[in-house]
């Protein structure tokens, strides 16, 4: 069949029929073998077609080799001069290139889908970051509020302790005056009982020397009463004189002395009775202030615990924000990488269509000019109008686009 193909189309690569060399003609045999094994040269567009076929990774290597071998013989002749078998081969080559183009388009669609997915993931990560920022801001507000409450609680404790100190000072001073009054009652009452009563004893048991001792004690205590000087001057004589020998003045001195002690004891007793209520009030004030201090300290502890909890929550919110920002950054990097892969896939597809597919379609669709067309073209080109209206055909690059070696 290949001999028939060659006879129908002289452009078919098997157009040469190698004659059998006579026996013994070794050199002729070697020359014939060299002609058969010699590969036809590929022009620049055929190189683009072969490169496109090389990207059909889903075909067996033998099939690819067959298609690549048929490129010069099947795409070299014009379309209107091809044999049916050549046209079939061109169709197979076209279908293979279309499958590569479809795969590259699918790759673009796949990368676009990935971009859409990572974009949604990035938007979700940004939403998480926004929520984390809002949460951190809210926690910061709680910290500010609890810190203010803690400061107020500390000030309340300080004020409560100051009030307790004032109450304790008032209690100490008030109780001290009553304690002094109690001591004076004991002292004056003792003076009446132990000394003045002796000075009033009957004559049988009265002793001048003993009376003098009692008089000295009375004089010492009487000075605290603020008695009249004349009375104080008369006391020693009156007190040491026997009761039966005392005159009216001496009796009056003894009576005045006794009355002064009794009046002082009565006054101090009244003061003690009156001061008992004040003492109770001062004690109650101290107790109340102690309770205020305790309540303020409890409130301060609660405020400190609330502040610590708020600060811990703020720290957790800050950590959450950092983690969210880290995740968003990773998603942004993933989106950028996906978009870069999509751009690369688009560039590969565009390069494939703009170079490989164009090379194939140009070779596939070229036709030979009919006889006489050349002379007509030359004649028409002589006309200035034709010269100005005829544009040169679009040129196809003789080499693949820059970077296509990475395809």
């Amino acid at each position: 069949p290949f001999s028939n193909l060659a006879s129908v189309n002289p452009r078919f690569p098997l157009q040469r029929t190698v004659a059998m060399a006579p026996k013994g003609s070794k050199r002729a045999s070697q020359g014939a073998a060299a002609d058969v094994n010699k590969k036809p040269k590929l022009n620049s567009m055929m190189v683009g077609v072969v490169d496109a076929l090389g990207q059909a990774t889903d075909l067996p290597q033998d099939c690819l080799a067959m298609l690549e071998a048929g490129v010069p013989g099947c795409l070299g002749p014009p379309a209107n001069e091809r044999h049916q078998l050549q046209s079939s081969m061109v169709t197979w080559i076209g279908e293979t290139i279309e499958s590569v183009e479809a795969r590259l388009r699918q790759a673009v669609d796949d990368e676009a889908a990935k971009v859409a997915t990572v974009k949604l993931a990035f938007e979700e990560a940004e939403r998480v970051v926004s929520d984390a920022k809002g949460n951190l801001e809210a926690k910061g507000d709680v910290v500010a509020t609890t810190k203010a409450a803690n400061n107020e609680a500390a000030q309340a404790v300080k004020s409560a302790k100051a009030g307790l100190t004032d109450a304790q000072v008032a209690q100490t001073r008030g109780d001290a005056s009553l304690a002094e009054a109690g001591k004076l009652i004991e002292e004056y009452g003792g003076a009446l009982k132990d000394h003045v009563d002796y000075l009033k004893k009957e004559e049988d048991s009265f002793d001048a020397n003993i009376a003098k001792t009692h008089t000295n004690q009375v004089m010492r205590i009487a000075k605290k009463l603020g008695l009249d000087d004349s009375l104080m001057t008369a006391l020693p004589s009156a007190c040491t004189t026997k009761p039966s020998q005392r005159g009216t003045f001496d009796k009056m001195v003894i009576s005045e002395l006794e009355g002064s002690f009794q009046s002082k004891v009565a006054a101090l007793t009244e003061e003690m009775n009156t001061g008992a209520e004040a003492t109770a009030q001062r004690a109650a004030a101290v107790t109340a202030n102690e309770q205020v201090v305790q309540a303020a300290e409890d409130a301060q502890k609660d405020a400190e615990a609330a502040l610590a909890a708020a600060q811990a929550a703020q720290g957790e919110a800050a950590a959450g924000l950092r983690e969210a920002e880290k995740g968003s950054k990773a998603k942004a990097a993933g989106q950028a990488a996906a978009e870069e892969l999509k751009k690369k896939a688009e560039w590969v597809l565009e390069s494939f269509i703009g170079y490989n597919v164009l090379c194939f379609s140009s070779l596939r669709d070229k036709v030979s000019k009919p006889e006489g067309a050349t002379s007509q073209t030359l004649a028409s080109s002589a006309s200035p109008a034709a010269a100005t209206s005829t544009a040169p055909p679009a040129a196809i690059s003789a080499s693949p686009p820059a970077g296509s070696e990475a395809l």
Side-chain angles (χ1 to χ4, degrees), residues 215 218-219 222 225-239 249-261:
T215 299
V218 168
M219 290 291 293
L225 294 176
L227 298 178
D228 185 73
D229 291 341
S230 60
L231 182 61
M232 293 294 294
T233 301
L235 274 176
S237 175
C239 289
F249 180 75
D250 291 337
K251 291 179 179 179
M252 184 271 296
V253 169
I254 297 297
S255 177
E256 186 69 20
L257 175 64
E258 183 180 21
S260 296
F261 276 115

Side-chain angles (χ1 to χ4, degrees), residues 54 56-68:
T57 56
D58 56 336
L59 290 182
Q61 191 62 36
D62 291 343
C63 293
L64 289 177
M66 179 190 72
L67 294 176
E68 291 175 357

Side-chain angles (χ1 to χ4, degrees), residues 122-323:
F122 173 69
E123 291 174 352
E124 175 63 19
E126 284 293 280
R127 185 191 64 77
V128 172
V129 169
S130 179
D131 292 346
K133 287 182 179 179
N135 185 43
L136 178 59
E137 183 178 355
K139 298 303 181 183
D141 293 340
V142 174
V143 168
T145 301
T146 53
K147 186 176 290 185
N150 184 61
N151 292 337
E152 291 177 1
Q155 185 60 41
V157 170
K158 184 178 180 180
S159 299
K161 288 183 176 180
L164 175 60
T165 299
D166 292 342
Q168 289 172 334
V169 170
Q171 183 185 39
T172 299
R173 291 176 179 175
D175 291 351
S177 63
L178 288 181
E180 181 65 22
K183 290 180 180 179
L184 291 176
I185 288 175
E186 291 180 0
E187 185 176 14
Y188 295 150
L192 283 171
K193 181 179 179 181
D194 297 334
H195 306 299
V196 176
D197 284 353
Y198 180 82
L199 298 175
K200 292 169 59 181
K201 280 186 176 183
E202 294 298 329
E203 189 144 336
D204 294 339
S205 59
F206 187 85
D207 183 275
N209 292 326
I210 296 175
K212 187 175 181 179
T213 300
H214 287 293
T215 299
N216 290 336
Q217 293 296 325
V218 168
M219 290 291 293
R220 179 182 63 78
I221 298 173
K223 291 179 180 180
K224 298 179 181 181
L225 294 176
L227 298 178
D228 185 73
D229 291 341
S230 60
L231 182 61
M232 293 294 294
T233 301
L235 274 176
S237 175
C239 289
T240 54
T241 302
K242 290 182 178 183
S244 59
Q245 296 177 359
R246 291 173 186 164
T248 304
F249 180 75
D250 291 337
K251 291 179 179 179
M252 184 271 296
V253 169
I254 297 297
S255 177
E256 186 69 20
L257 175 64
E258 183 180 21
S260 296
F261 276 115
Q262 290 175 344
S263 298
K264 191 62 175 177
V265 169
L268 291 173
T269 301
E270 180 64 22
E271 181 180 347
M272 288 287 292
N273 294 334
T274 303
E277 182 178 356
T279 298
Q281 292 176 350
R282 288 190 293 270
V286 170
T287 300
N289 279 276
E290 288 175 343
Q291 293 174 348
V292 171
V293 170
Q294 185 62 51
E297 289 177 341
D298 292 342
Q300 185 182 26
K301 289 179 181 179
D302 293 339
E304 289 175 347
L307 177 58
Q311 289 173 334
Q314 185 184 38
E316 292 176 358
L321 176 58
R322 289 193 296 272
E323 190 66 23

